[in-house]
């Protein structure tokens, strides 16, 4: 019986070359072949689009598929979006409730930097305590506030004042706060007519002074009473809404 013939096996002495070795030598040979790392770069993005997407792009409606980037300004808090500054509103409330110049408040900020939400909140609160839950009449008090402020604004412009409607609306609204403050006292002394009348007059004068001191400037000169008197009457009417609606 003839010994087995030679086998074709790679030899480690010369990599890349093949030599004939005997089968007995081949028993001591071992090795491995590493798989090559092959990467295929097609040089582009070949994401397959749907039929609807292709149709829209062909018809010129590709802008419907665009995704807008998030704008940092769109992530503002709700109060900032509505232009509500609670600190500013609180400062204006203090300026109205303490109108004496000796207290050191910059009261002109109520007139020079008007806002809408603060006066609206004051008017709504006054409506709630005046009408004892009669929500159908809240709109009437808001209407009086809006058109009463409009009347004061038109009169101030006729008399030569340099005020805007927004300024008058804000000052008249904030100046309702003294009428709100006297409500607890009226509840306590409601059975004493004289004391109740004095408190009501004090509240009206307080509110009228807060508003008039901000709206009636030096430009009116001798015409100041012509504007102070309508403001005084307006707050008397507001007080009558609390006492007799």
């Amino acid at each position: 019986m003839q010994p087995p013939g030679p086998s074709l096996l790679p030899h480690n002495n010369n990599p890349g070359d093949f030599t004939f070795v005997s089968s007995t030598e081949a028993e001591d040979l071992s090795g491995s072949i590493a798989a090559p790392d092959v990467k295929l770069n097609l040089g582009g993005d070949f994401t397959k689009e749907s039929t609807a997407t292709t149709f829209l792009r062909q018809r010129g409606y590709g802008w419907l598929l665009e995704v807008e980037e998030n704008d940092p300004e769109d992530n503002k808090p709700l109060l900032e979006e509505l232009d509500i500054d609670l600190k500013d509103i609180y400062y204006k409330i203090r300026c109205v409730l303490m109108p004496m110049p000796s207290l050191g408040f910059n009261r002109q900020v109520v007139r020079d930097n008007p806002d809408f939400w603060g006066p609206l909140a004051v008017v709504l609160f006054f409506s709630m305590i005046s009408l004892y839950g009669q929500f159908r009449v809240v709109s009437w008090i808001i209407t009086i506030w809006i058109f009463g402020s409009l009347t004061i604004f038109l009169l101030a412009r006729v008399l030569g004042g340099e005020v805007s409607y927004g300024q008058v609306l804000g000052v008249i609204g904030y100046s309702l706060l003294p009428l709100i403050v006297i409500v607890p006292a009226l509840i306590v002394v409601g059975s004493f007519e004289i004391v109740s009348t004095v408190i009501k007059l004090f509240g009206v004068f307080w509110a009228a002074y807060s508003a008039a001191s901000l709206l009636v400037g030096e430009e009116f000169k001798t015409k100041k009473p012509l504007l102070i008197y309508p403001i005084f009457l307006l707050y008397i009417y507001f007080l009558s809404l609390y006492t007799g609606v």
Side-chain angles (χ1 to χ4, degrees):
M1 185 176 185
Q2 294 181 352
S7 301
L8 184 61
L9 295 173
H11 197 273
N12 291 333
N13 292 334
N14 296 316
D17 296 337
F18 288 91
T19 57
F20 290 96
V21 297
S22 63
S23 59
T24 55
E25 294 178 355
E27 293 178 356
D28 298 331
L29 296 177
S30 63
S32 62
I33 300 176
D37 186 8
V38 180
K39 295 182 179 180
L40 181 61
N41 185 8
L42 299 178
D45 185 9
F46 291 93
T47 303
K48 186 176 181 181
E49 296 181 344
S50 63
T51 304
T53 302
T54 304
F55 176 79
L56 289 175
R57 293 189 185 279
Q58 290 177 351
R59 301 299 180 183
Y61 296 102
W63 55 272
L64 293 173
L65 305 173
E66 296 178 358
V67 179
E68 296 183 358
E69 296 181 358
N70 292 331
D71 191 352
E73 296 184 356
D74 295 337
N75 299 326
K76 293 181 178 180
L78 180 60
L79 293 180
E80 188 175 350
E81 287 285 346
L82 297 176
D83 197 19
I84 299 175
D85 189 347
L86 297 180
K87 293 182 179 179
D88 183 59
I89 292 175
Y90 174 67
Y91 185 79
K92 291 177 180 177
I93 289 174
R94 295 172 65 191
C95 290
V96 171
L97 292 178
M98 293 175 280
M100 288 73 70
S102 59
L103 296 177
F105 289 105
N106 182 19
R107 300 186 66 246
Q108 289 300 318
V109 72
V110 182
R111 170 178 170 172
D112 298 337
N113 186 24
D115 66 285
F116 175 74
W117 297 107
L120 178 62
V122 173
V123 173
L124 289 176
F125 187 63
F126 178 76
S127 302
M128 294 297 100
I129 65 175
S130 298
L131 303 173
Y132 302 102
Q134 301 180 36
F135 296 103
R136 64 182 181 277
V137 197
V138 172
S139 59
W140 171 247
I141 292 184
I142 294 177
T143 302
I144 295 300
W145 168 50
I146 293 174
F147 284 97
S149 300
L150 179 61
T151 303
I152 300 299
F153 163 70
L154 294 175
L155 185 59
R157 299 293 292 187
V158 169
L159 295 176
E162 297 295 332
V163 293
S164 65
Y165 177 61
Q167 291 174 332
V168 176
L169 194 69
V171 170
I172 296 297
Y174 274 117
S175 296
L176 275 174
L177 285 168
L179 299 184
I180 297 175
V181 171
I182 67 172
V183 168
L186 291 177
I187 294 175
V188 173
V189 300
S191 58
F192 303 95
E193 287 191 16
I194 297 178
V195 179
S196 178
T197 302
V198 171
I199 293 176
K200 291 176 183 178
L201 290 176
F202 172 74
V204 171
F205 276 106
W206 186 4
Y209 175 77
S210 295
S213 60
L214 292 170
L215 295 177
V216 183
E218 294 299 328
E219 67 269 18
F220 292 99
K221 298 180 180 179
T222 58
K223 302 176 182 178
K224 290 182 180 181
L226 296 177
L227 190 60
I228 295 175
Y229 181 66
I231 293 174
F232 183 74
L233 292 179
L234 180 61
Y235 286 107
I236 289 179
Y237 184 74
F238 275 120
L239 182 63
S240 68
L241 293 178
Y242 168 72
T243 58
V245 172

